[in-house]
């Protein structure tokens, strides 16, 4: 028989094992080629020029995607070589040399890769238009998208996966060359590491793993606080080491130890479910701790990154509102011509004037000592001040007594790093005058444009005190008054016209203390800017997250396929001694729930605490984006678990 015929028959025989691996490889090529093609799509290029973010995002995505594919393919190939170890051993037993066996397996991989790349490029060409439409929708860029084939994307994809094939062949040849004939017949039964009997020391190590994870969660909960600000990078490293190390110890010792305790409490009275689920889980999860740790960490990282990017995109409007608390803002009466133009266009609007003064506060009075020590010697800083009557335009119920002050606009990073509670005393400085004031309210509501405040909060004082400050004020960015303009609902065409009028009339002009020009922007323009920035991020992270999920879920599925093949004889014996097919399946279902559920649950917990520690840096809403992303991951992991269960059903049917 010719080698080509043997390759063909071998591939037909192993097709049931290759189909998901082949599909995942096609999916990887499709994603990679699509990302490469997107960069040369005319519509995406137009959006890139408008937003300035697409090119860098797509470039980063293609590099990261290749590393995901590289990890997945190398690991999957390692598992398949182990599964086929007995077959490779038989080839050598009948007289084939290792070199000939390597050529046989290499030809299979080459044919498989060429087929996957050809199909993947074809699907990538078809799907690139869909991906471009999704991207432009996220970027809020309205244009016609056409299907585009580029030679650069084709050559780049072929070269990248050609390099991956060479790495794969080297890995395969190394495994066959370094492995003895005896090991080839037993390789499929070997876990990542040999499992030994439990000892008290290992029990303590398992408990320590749980402690490490809890400690990592605790450190993450206080990561972005004033107490840890001075050693942020060190604390991040501690969290990383504690979480990953604790995860490995949990898989290596903790899970097995807990299940062993359950088994011992049964005093030898084990049910079929215990035989099919409890004991295999206890030993296999312990033996495969390295791979399970890697899968869990990959799941947590992809979940966290996807969630944070979705938080940014979901909070685009709210984040813009924090920087621009009105549809349009103008200062120092520059809005006069703009309002006349709005009247000519018969646009309905409301205006709110906020006269401004300035005062100095001493940050050392209410900030933690750790933060104060990192500040310059002079801890006094200028802060904008508005009157109570002006504030009552927005909050009619607001009231102040003598010696009281309200802090408004205290939100975002500052509020989470250094939360303030009402009731503390602060000193206001104005030239030679100092006043001790009691803070009666701390509000997150933004009152002034970010260009005016520079990210600072605003003080609200009684009218009499405000007039004193105003008469002595040196000015805050030379802004004496802010005018907020709120529009009624207008059409999109009218809104585009208003945007032009806002700039043409000079209503967006602001000069700072040094006479430098600073232009204000509208709420709509700020929202669009955020959508452009975050849309590219959510697009790339979502697809990279799916690639991570595909890799980790497929690896778990491949492992379960290997275990199912090894347990065929056990299923036949159990059936002969009287157990029904349904009883056997019940134990398998519990086993699959553990194998897929434990890495997923731990990954979800890791990602939750990672997101919770710093989500406020990315947006204003955490719960809904987190629930949506986690829900998608749970559904997709459940699909892999069902596929695995379905494969077990086929194996049990064959065995019985």
């Amino acid at each position: 028989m010719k080698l080509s015929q043997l390759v063909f028959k071998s591939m037909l025989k192993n097709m049931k094992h290759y189909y998901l691996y082949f599909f995942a490889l096609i999916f990887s090529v499709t994603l990679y080629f699509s990302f490469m093609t997107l960069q040369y799509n005319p519509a995406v290029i137009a959006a890139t020029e408008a937003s300035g973010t697409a090119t860098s995002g797509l470039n980063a995505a293609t590099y990261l995607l290749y590393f995901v594919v590289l990890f997945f393919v190398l690991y999957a190939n390692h598992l398949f070589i182990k599964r086929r170890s007995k077959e490779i051993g038989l080839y050598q037993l009948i007289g084939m040399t290792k070199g000939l066996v390597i050529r046989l397996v290499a030809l299979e991989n080459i044919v498989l890769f060429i087929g996957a790349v050809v199909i993947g490029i074809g699907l990538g060409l078809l799907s690139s238009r869909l991906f471009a439409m999704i991207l432009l929708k996220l970027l809020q860029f309205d244009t016609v998208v056409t299907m585009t084939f580029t030679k650069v994307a084709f050559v780049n994809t072929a070269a990248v996966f050609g390099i991956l094939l060479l790495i794969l062949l080297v890995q395969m040849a190394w495994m066959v060359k370094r492995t003895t004939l005896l090991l080839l017949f037993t390789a499929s039964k070997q876990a990542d590491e040999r499992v030994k009997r439990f000892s008290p020391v290992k029990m303590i190590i398992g408990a320590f793993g749980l402690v490490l994870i809890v400690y990592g969660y605790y450190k993450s909960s206080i990561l972005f606080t004033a107490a840890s600000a001075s050693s942020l990078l060190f604390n991040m490293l501690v969290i990383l080491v504690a979480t990953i190390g604790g995860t490995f110890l949990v898989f290596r010792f903790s899970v097995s130890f807990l299940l062993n305790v359950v088994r011992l409490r049964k005093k030898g009275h084990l049910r079929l479910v215990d035989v099919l689920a409890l004991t295999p889980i206890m030993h296999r999860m312990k033996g495969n701790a390295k791979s399970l740790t890697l899968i869990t960490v990959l799941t947590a990282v992809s979940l966290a990154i996807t969630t944070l990017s979705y938080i940014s995109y979901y909070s685009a409007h709210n984040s813009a509102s924090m920087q621009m608390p009105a549809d349009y803002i103008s200062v120092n009466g520059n809005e006069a011509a703009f309002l006349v133009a709005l009247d000519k266009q018969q646009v309905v609007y409301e205006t709110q004037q906020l006269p401004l003064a300035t005062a100095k506060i001493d940050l050392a009075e209410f900030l933690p000592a750790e933060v104060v020590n990192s500040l310059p010697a002079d801890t006094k800083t200028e802060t904008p001040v508005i009157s109570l009557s002006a504030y009552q335009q927005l909050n009619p119920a607001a009231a102040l007594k003598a010696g009281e002050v309200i802090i408004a606009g205290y939100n975002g990073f500052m509020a989470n790093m250094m939360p303030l509670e009402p009731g503390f005393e602060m000193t206001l400085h104005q030239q030679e005058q100092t006043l001790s004031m009691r803070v009666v309210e701390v509000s997150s509501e933004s009152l002034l444009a970010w260009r005016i405040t520079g990210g600072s909060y605003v003080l609200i004082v009684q009218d009499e005190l405000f007039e004193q400050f105003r008469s002595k004020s040196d000015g805050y960015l030379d802004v004496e008054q802010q005018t907020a303009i709120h529009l009624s609902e207008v059409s999109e065409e009218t809104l585009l016209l208003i945007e032009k009028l806002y700039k043409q009339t000079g209503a967006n002009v602001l000069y700072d203390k040094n006479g430098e020009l600073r232009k204000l922007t509208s709420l709509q323009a700020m929202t669009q800017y955020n959508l452009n920035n975050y849309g590219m991020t959510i697009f790339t992270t979502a697809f990279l997250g799916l690639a991570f999920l595909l890799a980790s879920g497929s690896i778990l599925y491949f492992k379960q396929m290997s275990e199912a093949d090894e347990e065929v004889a056990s299923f036949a014996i159990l059936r002969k001694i009287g157990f029904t097919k349904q009883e056997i399946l019940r134990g398998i279902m519990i086993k699959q729930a553990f194998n897929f559920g434990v890495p997923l649950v731990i990954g979800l917990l890791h990602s939750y605490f990672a997101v919770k520690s710093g989500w406020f840096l990315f947006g204003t809403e955490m719960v809904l984006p987190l629930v949506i992303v986690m829900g998608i991951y749970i559904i997709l992991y459940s699909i892999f678990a069902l596929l695995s269960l379905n494969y077990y059903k086929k194996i049990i049917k064959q065995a019985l």
Side-chain angles (χ1 to χ4, degrees):
M1 182 182 293
K2 294 181 180 180
L3 184 61
S4 58
Q5 294 175 319
L6 190 60
V7 169
F8 179 72
K9 289 187 176 182
S10 178
M11 289 191 68
L12 286 179
K13 174 181 175 293
N14 290 287
M15 189 59 67
K16 64 179 181 179
H17 303 318
Y18 276 135
Y19 74 95
L20 187 61
Y21 174 59
F22 190 54
F23 167 77
L25 191 57
I26 291 173
F27 183 76
S28 301
V29 176
T30 300
L31 277 183
Y32 189 86
F33 183 73
S34 296
F35 272 104
M36 290 299 300
T37 304
L38 279 176
Q39 299 178 47
Y40 302 97
N41 190 295
V44 174
I45 293 174
T48 303
E49 294 174 352
S51 66
T53 57
T55 300
S56 58
L58 290 175
N59 283 333
T62 51
Y63 287 118
L64 289 173
L65 183 60
Y66 182 70
F67 282 110
V68 174
V69 172
L70 178 65
F71 155 75
F72 163 67
V73 174
L74 290 178
Y75 201 95
N77 186 63
H78 175 75
L79 290 178
F80 275 116
I81 292 295
K82 287 178 65 175
R83 284 192 73 187
R84 299 183 60 190
S85 59
K86 192 173 292 186
E87 176 188 345
I88 294 173
L90 286 172
Y91 286 147
Q92 296 185 38
L93 199 61
I94 62 175
M96 293 178 65
T97 63
K98 285 188 175 182
L100 189 58
V101 173
I102 291 173
R103 286 167 56 195
L104 171 67
V105 180
L107 282 173
E108 287 184 18
N109 279 278
I110 291 172
V111 172
L112 190 71
F113 247 76
I114 292 175
V117 170
V118 171
I119 296 173
I121 289 177
L123 293 176
L125 179 62
L126 296 174
S127 61
S128 62
R129 183 172 181 268
L130 174 62
F131 291 159
M133 292 171 64
I134 295 173
L135 172 59
L136 296 176
K137 181 68 175 178
L138 291 171
L139 295 177
Q140 302 287 305
F141 195 84
D142 189 14
T143 187
V144 177
V145 181
T146 58
M147 188 181 299
T148 304
F149 178 83
T150 60
K151 184 179 179 180
V152 176
F154 175 79
V155 172
N156 190 290
T157 303
V160 162
F161 281 90
I163 295 171
L164 177 58
L165 176 59
L166 291 176
I167 297 173
L168 193 68
L169 294 178
V170 171
Q171 179 200 30
M172 177 271 301
W174 183 84
M175 290 180 65
V176 175
K177 280 283 187 183
R178 293 290 300 270
T179 309
T180 64
L181 189 59
L182 179 61
L183 286 176
L184 284 172
F185 279 98
T186 60
S188 61
K189 299 180 181 180
Q190 294 176 356
D192 292 346
E193 190 173 329
R194 187 178 177 184
V195 178
K196 299 179 181 179
R197 186 178 180 86
F198 259 106
S199 67
V201 174
K202 293 180 179 179
M203 292 165 53
I204 295 173
I205 295 174
F208 181 65
L210 294 173
V211 171
L212 276 178
I213 291 180
V214 173
Y215 177 73
Y217 291 166
Y218 166 73
K219 291 292 288 184
S220 70
S221 66
I222 61 171
L223 179 62
F224 290 100
T225 59
S228 63
S230 58
S231 55
L232 184 62
L233 291 177
F234 175 76
N235 288 329
M236 291 175 69
L237 181 62
V238 169
I239 292 170
L240 192 65
V241 172
T243 305
I244 295 177
T247 301
F248 173 76
L249 294 180
V250 164
F251 284 125
R252 185 69 179 84
F253 301 109
S254 303
V255 174
S256 300
F257 167 67
L258 293 175
L259 294 180
N260 192 45
V261 171
V262 173
R263 190 179 67 168
L264 291 176
R265 290 185 62 182
K266 294 180 180 292
K267 298 180 180 179
H269 302 287
L270 299 179
R271 300 173 301 166
L272 177 65
V273 171
D274 301 322
V275 175
L276 288 174
L278 197 70
T279 303
I281 291 168
M282 182 177 68
H283 290 289
R284 290 193 182 274
M285 189 166 289
K286 179 181 179 183
N288 297 320
K290 293 178 182 177
S291 57
L292 290 173
T293 300
L294 184 60
I295 290 170
T296 301
V297 172
L298 285 177
T299 301
V301 170
S302 60
L303 253 172
I305 293 175
T306 305
T307 302
L308 291 174
S309 61
Y310 186 42
I311 286 174
S312 299
Y313 186 80
Y314 186 84
S315 306
H317 180 75
N318 289 339
S319 298
S321 299
M322 291 171 59
Q323 300 181 48
M324 287 295 294
D327 291 313
Y328 295 92
I329 284 178
S330 187
V331 299
N332 300 337
N334 292 338
E335 72 280 358
F338 180 54
L339 297 180
V340 171
L342 292 181
D343 291 333
K344 287 182 179 180
Q345 297 297 325
Q346 297 182 343
V347 176
V348 180
Y349 61 88
E350 292 183 358
T351 60
Q352 294 170 342
Q353 280 79 32
L354 292 179
L356 303 179
T358 183
K360 285 188 176 181
I361 61 172
D362 192 348
L363 297 175
E365 291 184 343
F366 53 91
L367 294 183
E370 298 89 349
V371 178
V372 174
N373 292 335
S374 63
L375 295 176
D378 185 7
T379 55
K380 294 185 178 65
T381 181
E382 275 191 309
T383 305
V385 179
I386 65 174
S387 65
L388 176 62
S389 60
Y391 180 60
Q392 286 173 338
Q393 298 178 66
L394 307 172
N395 186 4
L400 287 173
K401 297 178 182 178
E404 293 181 342
V405 64
I406 295 174
I407 294 179
Y410 196 75
N411 49 40
F413 175 79
M414 187 165 50
N416 284 275
M417 281 284 290
M418 297 165 285
L420 297 179
E421 295 294 334
F424 66 90
E425 299 287 332
M426 66 185 305
T427 304
L428 302 186
H429 304 265
Q430 183 57 259
Q431 295 181 1
E432 302 300 325
Q433 183 182 14
T434 58
L435 294 171
S436 179
M437 309 290 289
R438 181 174 178 271
V439 178
V440 295
E441 181 183 345
V442 179
S443 171
S444 61
E445 181 184 11
S446 296
L447 304 179
L448 303 177
W450 185 87
R451 281 289 192 181
I452 298 175
T453 65
S456 175
Y457 43 84
V458 183
L459 304 179
I460 296 104
V461 300
Q462 287 186 320
D463 290 16
E464 297 82 0
L465 184 57
F466 172 79
E467 292 301 330
Q468 293 180 30
F469 285 159
R470 189 172 176 81
S471 63
K472 300 177 181 179
S473 178
D474 296 328
Y476 189 81
L477 292 176
D478 286 342
V479 176
E480 298 181 357
Q481 176 176 287
Q482 171 188 281
T483 300
I485 304 168
H486 302 272
L487 302 182
S488 61
E489 292 187 10
V490 295
S491 65
E492 187 173 343
E493 292 181 0
T494 304
L495 190 58
L496 291 175
L497 176 60
I498 294 173
E499 284 287 330
K500 293 180 181 178
L501 293 173
Y502 182 57
K503 298 174 183 177
Q504 290 174 357
T505 58
N508 65 330
V509 172
L510 181 152
Y511 289 95
D512 64 12
K513 290 180 178 180
N514 300 320
E516 295 181 2
L517 175 65
R518 293 189 179 186
K519 292 186 177 181
L520 297 167
T521 186
S522 66
L523 176 60
Q524 174 68 21
M526 181 64 69
T527 302
Q528 185 64 47
Y529 176 80
N530 289 344
L531 289 173
N532 287 339
N533 282 335
Y534 305 145
M536 186 69 252
T537 305
I538 185 61
F539 178 79
T540 54
T541 55
F543 280 98
L544 286 173
L546 287 176
F548 273 112
L549 180 62
L550 178 70
S552 58
S554 296
I555 288 171
L556 281 174
Y557 176 67
F558 296 153
K559 280 181 171 290
Q560 295 310 302
M561 290 173 67
S562 298
E563 292 180 15
D565 291 339
E566 295 170 18
E567 296 170 1
V568 172
S570 301
F571 297 147
I573 293 172
L574 290 171
R575 186 69 182 93
K576 288 178 181 179
I577 62 178
F579 292 106
T580 66
K581 181 180 177 181
Q582 287 71 27
E583 289 174 326
I584 296 175
L585 280 175
R586 194 178 304 120
I588 297 301
M589 289 174 66
I590 295 175
K591 178 184 173 184
Q592 297 312 301
F594 261 89
N595 286 326
F596 285 90
V598 172
L600 177 61
V601 169
I602 296 178
L604 290 174
L605 285 173
H606 287 357
S607 63
Y608 168 75
F609 282 97
V611 170
K612 189 174 183 296
S613 67
W615 68 271
F616 49 84
L617 299 174
F618 298 86
T620 59
E621 174 64 35
M622 181 191 78
V623 177
L624 187 59
L626 183 64
V627 170
I628 291 174
V629 175
M630 284 188 171
I632 293 173
Y633 267 65
I634 291 172
I635 291 172
L636 293 177
Y637 252 93
S638 300
I639 292 174
F640 279 108
L642 291 174
L643 288 173
S644 177
L645 184 61
N646 186 60
Y647 186 80
Y648 261 100
K649 288 180 179 180
K650 291 180 181 179
I651 293 297
I652 293 173
K653 186 177 180 180
Q654 293 174 7
L656 304 184

